[in-house]
Amino acid sequence: MVPASHRLTDPDAFRQAGRRGTRSASRTLVTHLWVPGGDLPPRVGFVVSRAVGNAVLRNRVKRRLRHLVREHLSSLPSSSVLVVRALPAAAAASSGELGADLDRCLRSVHP
C-alpha cells in the first residue's frame, strides 16, 4: 500500500502531470512524471480503465502497481507527481513483467 501522504487524489494534478510531465511508454504501462517544485513528498496516482478488463482484473493490476511503485518512492524527486496508466496488456502481464516495464519507464522519465 502507498502511504496516504504519497497518494495523488487531486484531479488537477493528474491533468497537469499528463500535460506537462515527461512521458514514457512500454507494452503494459504509460508513465507521466511532473516535477512542479516545492517541498511536498512525491505523490503517485494510477489510471486503470475498463479497457484493461473487468473490475477484478483492474483491481488486481492496481494492487500490483501499488506494490511495485512503493519501492520507487524514495528515488522520486520531492514534490513530484507520477501518474501510472495501465494499458490493456497489463491484465495478462505477470508482476515481473509489470515491474520490468515500470523500471524501464521510470529510468526514461527520471534518469
Side-chain angles (χ1 to χ4, degrees):
M1 183 65 90
V2 176
S5 62
H6 294 283
R7 290 187 202 140
L8 182 61
T9 58
D10 180 25
D12 289 332
F14 270 95
R15 210 171 296 117
Q16 291 297 331
R19 290 182 182 156
R20 295 184 179 180
T22 306
R23 179 184 182 275
S24 179
S26 69
R27 187 179 69 83
T28 59
L29 302 171
V30 176
T31 59
H32 299 271
L33 181 67
W34 177 47
V35 185
D39 292 333
L40 296 172
R43 293 171 295 157
V44 180
F46 302 94
V47 178
V48 184
S49 73
R50 286 189 197 165
V52 173
N54 63 19
V56 173
L57 286 175
R58 291 194 309 267
N59 286 326
R60 183 179 302 146
V61 169
K62 278 189 276 192
R63 282 193 307 271
R64 287 178 177 172
L65 289 174
R66 278 195 304 260
H67 178 75
L68 294 167
V69 167
R70 186 178 59 186
E71 300 168 0
H72 294 282
L73 284 175
S74 61
S75 66
L76 294 174
S78 64
S79 77
S80 62
V81 175
L82 175 67
V83 174
V84 179
R85 183 167 49 99
L87 298 176
S94 69
S95 293
E97 291 171 329
L98 285 175
D101 284 351
L102 181 64
D103 289 341
R104 193 174 321 112
C105 287
L106 287 178
R107 275 195 311 269
S108 177
V109 296
H110 179 64

